[in-house]
């Protein structure tokens, strides 16, 4: 009995999602509301202009609460450290800090040698900036490290052998650590074990005296006093400093946001820039290298249980102990071992080449940026290559906005949804109404392309029809001028004045397409019945100034709806292009409507004086469906205030 009840309960649970899906499938979606244009929408929603606030006014406000907020904003450690959960996070942060410090010690020594400086400066750079970031940073998991770029020193045979052996040992230790990481509380400190072993072997065998292997040498104990940088070097280093700052901040904020999303907290980009700037500024006073963050150490800090920047403070204090007391123990450490550690740690950078196949499949534009950045940096240097990459990325953005996806929309049956008829086989164009949409905003760089694509997708040669119509009107004007001269010759001087005035009126009215009224006034002359009778016959021809009367092909639609939901802003070129679209399509007897404009875009249209007597807010609708319904109920008619209902 219990078994049958359990099985029945499981069957019910299995059928529940199916039942819910059927209910959703059979559930109708009914909405009944008035058909709304923009003017009616503003009246119904009681639109009011948003109160404009000036951010700079708050900068000069002073209060206790504001001072406290500014202090916590620029010194984040004061906000999270008092609420630090010791029982939950302290052990993890201690282990993470120790793990990072074990990695930081050999890498700091190695990067100093890579820059051609004494190893102790690498230790300084592993202490001061890390501790400053602990005070000012907002990311809990990234680990701040050095960023240097120089040439490796020349090597001898003993140095090469030492580097190869050290590299192989270090690779084996890293592979072993990756294989056993599930069973270890912290990664195997491969760099530290390699350094300790190499130092012992070098001391015991005498690598420097017997084989000429360069060693680190004396490492002075203690900290150096602060010193102001040499201002004469600013001019020669400002370009490199800017490049390092941009690259370092990009790496730091990218890693920071990755860890923040993974662990559910927020990283303040502005404060991160402040933290990195202060870390480098204070570090520069104490003769440190530029710093950013390291992916490998950040992953180690996260994987070994680190929860906050307390781990960074622990690692910096561990480095401080080495600087003060234990630095002299690494006097016989071969420099080749440090070089091997650098090369092995480049494995992650070299692995980025594996991104090429995935980028080729996912986003080829990003792949193009990747390749341009790589080639420019390799061939032209880091700063110039970075500048080229940034400029190329901006140009690519402009290029992509000039090649958006233009589409003619059709209505999905029995819905108010409109989709591209080329992509949705069931979407059908509404008879008599053409709906056009662009996937990108329209501005000065692509406004002309938008107009050309619109005319092409509509299937009508708009420019040709307008040209033919204007040509016919010019011929009619010339004909009326000849008629004027004939009338002047056949009438007396007193009557000629009256006829001249009447014919001039005809010419003016023809230019404004008001031929009916002009012919009515021209027929008022009693003494020129025969002449005006022939003029009326011409007027009947002039009355056929429509495309049909002219023998020109008529558009198969009477209304055009522009879906402007993709517009995020408008400029003067966009406004002029929209006005030209209204003018051109009205010339070929097609009324134009707009739909789905966002409120900021409508405000910009108003500021740009887009709306006037011929184009009002009654031509702008809340949705594409509203515009289509109005166009169907008002073919070739100017929009009045409609009181209609849309049913979905």
């Amino acid at each position: 009995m219990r078994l049958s009840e359990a099985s029945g309960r499981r069957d019910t649970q299995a059928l529940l999602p199916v039942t819910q899906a059927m209910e959703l499938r059979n559930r109708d979606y009914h909405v009944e509301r008035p058909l709304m244009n923009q003017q009616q929408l503003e009246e119904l929603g009681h639109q009011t202009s948003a109160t404009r606030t000036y951010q700079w006014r708050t900068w000069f406000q002073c209060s206790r609460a504001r001072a406290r907020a500014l202090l916590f904003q620029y010194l984040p450690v004061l906000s999270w450290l008092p609420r630090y959960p010791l029982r939950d996070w302290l052990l993890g942060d201690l282990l993470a800090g120790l793990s990072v410090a074990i990695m930081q010690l050999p890498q700091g020594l190695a990067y100093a040698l890579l820059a051609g400086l004494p190893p102790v400066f690498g230790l300084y750079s592993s202490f001061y900036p890390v501790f400053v970031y602990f005070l000012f940073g907002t990311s809990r998991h990234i680990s701040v490290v050095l960023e240097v770029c120089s040439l490796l020193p020349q090597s001898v045979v003993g140095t090469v052998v030492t580097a190869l052996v050290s590299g192989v040992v270090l690779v084996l230790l890293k592979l072993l650590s990756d294989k056993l990481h599930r069973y270890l509380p912290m990664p195997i400190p491969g760099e530290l074990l390699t350094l300790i072993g190499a130092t012992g072997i070098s001391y015991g065998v005498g690598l420097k005296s017997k084989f000429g292997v360069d060693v680190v040498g004396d490492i002075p104990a203690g900290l150096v006093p602060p010193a102001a940088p040499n201002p004469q070097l600013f001019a020669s280093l400002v370009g490199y400093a800017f490049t390092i700052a941009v690259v370092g901040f990009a790496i730091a904020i990218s890693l920071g946001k990755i860890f923040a999303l993974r662990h559910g907290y927020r990283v303040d980009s502005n404060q991160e820039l402040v933290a990195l700037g202060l870390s480098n500024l204070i570090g520069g006073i104490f003769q440190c290298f530029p710093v950013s963050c390291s992916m490998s150490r950040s992953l180690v800090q996260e994987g070994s249980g680190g929860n906050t920047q307390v781990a960074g403070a622990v690692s910096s204090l561990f480095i401080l102990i080495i600087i003060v007391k234990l630095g002299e123990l690494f006097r016989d450490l071969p420099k080749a071992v440090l070089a091997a550690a650098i090369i092995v740690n480049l494995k992650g950078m070299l692995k980025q080449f594996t991104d090429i196949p995935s980028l080729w499949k996912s986003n080829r534009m990003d792949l193009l940026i990747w390749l341009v950045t790589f080639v420019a940096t390799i061939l032209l240097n880091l700063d110039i290559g970075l500048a080229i990459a940034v400029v190329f990325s901006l140009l690519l953005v402009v290029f992509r906005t000039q090649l958006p996806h233009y589409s003619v929309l059709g209505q999905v049956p029995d819905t108010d949804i409109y989709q591209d008829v080329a992509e949705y086989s069931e979407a059908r164009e509404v008879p008599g109404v053409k709906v056009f949409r662009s996937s990108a905003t329209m501005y000065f760089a692509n406004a002309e392309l938008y107009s050309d694509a619109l005319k092409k997708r509509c299937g009508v040669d708009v420019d040709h029809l307008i040209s033919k119509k204007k040509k016919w009107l010019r011929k009619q004007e010339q004909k009326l001028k000849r008629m004027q001269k004939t009338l002047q010759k056949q009438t007396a001087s007193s009557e000629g004045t009256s006829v001249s005035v009447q014919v001039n009126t005809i010419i003016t009215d023809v230019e404004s397409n008001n031929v009916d009224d002009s012919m009515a006034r021209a027929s008022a002359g009693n003494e020129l019945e025969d002449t005006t009778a022939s003029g009326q016959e011409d007027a009947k021809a002039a009355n056929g100034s429509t495309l049909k009367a002219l023998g020109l092909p008529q558009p198969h639609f009477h209304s055009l709806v522009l879906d402007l939901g993709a517009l995020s802003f408008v400029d003067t070129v966009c406004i002029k292009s929209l006005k030209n679209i209204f003018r051109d399509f009205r010339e070929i007897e097609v009324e134009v409507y707009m739909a789905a404009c966002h409120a900021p875009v409508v405000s910009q249209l108003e500021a740009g004086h887009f709306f006037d007597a011929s184009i009002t807010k009654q031509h702008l609708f809340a949705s594409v469906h509203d515009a289509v319904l109005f166009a169907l109920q008002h073919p070739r008619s100017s929009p009045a205030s409609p009181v209609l209902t849309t049913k979905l």
Side-chain angles (χ1 to χ4, degrees):
M1 185 66 181
R2 294 181 180 177
L3 181 60
S4 62
E5 290 178 355
S7 61
R9 190 180 300 110
R10 286 196 299 269
D11 295 339
T12 303
Q13 293 175 353
L15 291 174
L16 185 59
V18 179
T19 305
Q20 291 178 347
M22 293 178 63
E23 290 180 356
L24 290 175
R25 190 180 301 113
N26 297 327
R27 187 178 302 168
D28 293 331
Y29 173 58
H30 295 287
V31 173
E32 185 171 345
R33 62 172 175 80
L35 190 153
M36 292 186 198
N37 56 38
Q38 183 65 29
Q39 180 177 344
Q40 294 170 327
L41 180 62
E42 293 177 359
E43 294 175 355
L44 180 64
H46 300 287
Q47 184 188 29
T48 57
S49 58
T51 305
R52 188 174 181 180
T53 58
Y54 297 93
Q55 184 66 27
W56 59 269
R57 291 182 177 177
T58 62
W59 297 347
F60 302 99
Q61 297 177 357
C62 184
S63 65
R64 181 176 180 180
R66 176 164 174 75
R68 177 186 175 89
L70 287 176
L71 182 62
F72 285 176
Q73 177 182 352
Y74 292 105
L75 200 60
V77 67
L78 297 180
S79 62
W80 60 264
L81 190 59
R83 297 180 283 107
Y84 182 80
L86 293 176
R87 293 183 179 180
D88 298 332
W89 287 359
L90 182 59
L91 180 59
D93 283 337
L94 289 176
L95 291 176
L98 182 61
S99 303
V100 172
I102 290 173
M103 290 183 63
Q104 210 161 357
L105 171 61
Q107 290 182 5
L109 297 173
Y111 289 152
L113 292 176
L114 186 62
L117 297 174
V120 69
F121 290 100
L123 297 180
Y124 296 155
S125 300
S126 300
F127 166 65
Y128 289 106
V130 175
F131 192 78
V132 172
Y133 186 84
F134 159 73
L135 299 176
F136 294 94
T138 58
S139 176
R140 301 178 186 174
H141 294 89
I142 65 173
S143 178
V144 179
V145 297
L146 317 177
E147 281 209 359
V148 296
C149 185
S150 184
L151 298 175
L152 288 173
Q154 297 180 352
S155 302
V156 296
V157 177
T159 302
V160 174
V161 173
T162 303
L164 289 175
V165 173
S166 302
V168 171
V169 172
L170 185 55
V171 169
L172 293 176
L173 289 174
K174 284 185 173 292
L175 292 176
L176 182 62
S177 177
D178 293 339
K179 190 173 183 179
L180 301 177
H181 74 281
R182 295 182 179 179
Y183 311 102
L184 300 175
M186 56 183 294
I188 297 176
E191 288 90 348
L192 183 61
L193 295 178
T194 304
L195 260 63
I196 293 175
T199 302
I201 294 174
S202 175
Y203 177 77
V205 177
L207 294 180
K208 181 179 181 180
S209 59
K210 293 182 180 180
F211 302 100
V213 177
D214 289 337
V215 296
V216 171
D218 293 332
I219 298 178
L223 300 174
V224 295
N230 186 358
Q232 297 178 354
L233 299 176
F234 286 173
S236 59
L237 296 178
V238 62
Y240 299 101
F242 177 77
T243 304
I244 293 174
V246 172
V247 175
F249 175 70
I251 295 174
I253 195 61
S254 299
L255 286 178
K257 288 185 177 296
I258 289 174
F259 288 114
L261 290 174
R262 185 180 300 176
H263 294 277
Y265 62 92
R266 181 178 177 273
V267 172
D268 188 346
S269 301
N270 294 331
Q271 184 59 27
E272 285 297 298
L273 191 59
V274 172
L276 289 175
L278 288 175
S279 298
N280 285 293
L281 177 64
I282 297 176
I285 296 176
F286 289 94
Q287 304 180 26
C288 299
F289 299 136
V291 300
S292 181
C293 67
S294 167
M295 178 178 291
S296 60
R297 295 189 203 174
S298 299
L299 290 173
V300 168
Q301 179 170 319
E302 180 198 31
S304 55
N307 296 290
T308 64
Q309 280 301 323
V310 170
V314 171
S315 66
S316 64
L317 293 177
F318 184 80
I319 296 296
L320 177 62
I321 296 174
I322 295 176
I323 294 174
V324 175
K325 294 293 183 182
L326 305 179
E328 58 184 13
L329 298 178
F330 295 96
R331 180 179 57 188
D332 294 316
L333 174 64
K335 294 181 179 179
V337 177
L338 300 177
I342 293 173
I343 295 174
V344 171
N345 282 290
L346 289 177
K347 178 184 66 174
M349 185 180 298
L350 297 176
K351 278 186 175 181
Q352 292 182 2
F353 285 99
T354 59
D355 295 340
I356 294 178
S358 61
L359 287 175
W360 174 263
K361 296 178 181 179
S362 61
N363 195 320
R364 296 183 182 180
M365 290 295 182
D366 287 347
L367 175 61
L368 185 60
I369 296 174
W370 192 100
L371 294 175
V372 169
T373 305
F374 175 75
V375 173
T377 303
I378 293 296
L379 297 181
L380 301 176
N381 206 349
L382 179 61
D383 50 351
I384 301 177
L386 180 63
I388 291 176
V390 171
V391 173
F392 179 78
S393 301
L394 295 176
L395 292 177
L396 192 60
V397 170
V398 177
F399 176 75
R400 295 176 75 173
T401 60
Q402 292 185 343
L403 296 175
H405 178 67
Y406 299 110
S407 55
V408 174
L409 305 184
Q411 184 183 18
V412 179
D414 301 325
T415 69
D416 64 336
I417 300 173
Y418 292 79
Q419 295 294 342
D420 189 354
V421 294
E423 297 179 357
Y424 290 79
S425 59
E426 292 299 321
R428 296 288 184 268
E429 291 190 50
V430 179
V433 181
K434 186 74 69 173
V435 184
F436 181 79
R437 180 176 66 190
S438 171
S439 62
T441 189
M442 180 169 56
Y443 66 114
F444 71 92
N446 64 357
E448 185 176 357
L449 299 175
Y450 181 94
S451 300
D452 294 341
L454 170 62
K455 295 175 181 178
K456 182 178 179 181
R457 294 298 181 94
C458 286
V460 179
D461 194 343
V462 179
D463 296 331
H464 175 73
L465 293 179
I466 295 176
S467 176
K468 288 290 186 181
K469 187 175 181 179
K470 289 183 177 180
K471 185 177 180 180
W472 182 89
L473 290 175
R474 284 196 300 268
K475 288 182 179 180
Q476 191 67 20
E477 181 181 354
Q478 293 174 0
K479 186 175 182 179
L480 290 174
K481 286 182 178 180
R482 289 194 300 267
M483 185 176 63
Q484 178 188 16
K485 292 180 181 179
T486 303
L487 292 174
Q488 288 177 348
K489 291 179 182 179
Q490 295 179 355
T491 58
S493 59
S494 61
E495 297 174 348
T497 305
S498 174
V499 173
S500 176
V501 172
Q502 293 169 5
V503 175
N504 283 333
T505 306
I506 294 174
I507 296 173
T508 305
D509 291 336
V510 167
E511 292 177 352
S512 62
N513 292 333
N514 192 7
V515 187
D516 291 337
D517 294 340
S518 66
M519 292 300 104
R521 286 193 293 267
S523 62
N526 297 326
E527 299 174 356
L528 302 174
E529 292 181 356
D530 296 336
T531 306
T532 54
S534 62
Q536 288 176 356
E537 292 176 359
D538 294 336
K540 292 179 181 179
N543 188 29
S545 60
T546 62
L547 296 177
K548 182 178 181 180
L550 296 176
L552 298 176
Q554 294 178 277
H556 59 281
F557 56 95
H558 55 76
S559 300
L560 171 66
V561 177
L562 302 178
D563 183 359
L564 302 181
L567 285 186
S568 57
F569 68 93
V570 294
D571 55 9
T572 54
V573 178
C574 175
I575 292 176
K576 291 180 180 178
S577 298
L578 288 175
K579 284 191 172 184
N580 290 339
I581 290 172
F582 271 83
R583 180 200 62 197
D584 292 345
F585 278 89
R586 284 174 173 175
E587 285 285 341
I588 63 171
E589 303 162 13
V590 174
E591 187 57 51
V592 183
Y593 304 100
M594 302 180 298
C597 271
H598 302 293
V601 175
V602 177
S603 300
Q604 293 173 14
L605 290 174
E606 291 177 334
H609 305 288
F610 173 76
F611 298 106
D612 52 22
S614 61
I615 306 175
T616 66
K617 287 187 177 181
Q618 295 180 5
H619 291 85
L620 176 58
F621 290 85
S623 68
V624 173
H625 193 57
D626 287 323
V628 170
L629 290 178
F630 184 86
L632 289 175
Q633 297 170 358
H634 296 78
R636 292 190 181 92
S637 63
S638 59
S641 300
V643 184
L644 305 174
T645 302
T646 173
K647 296 182 179 180
L648 308 180

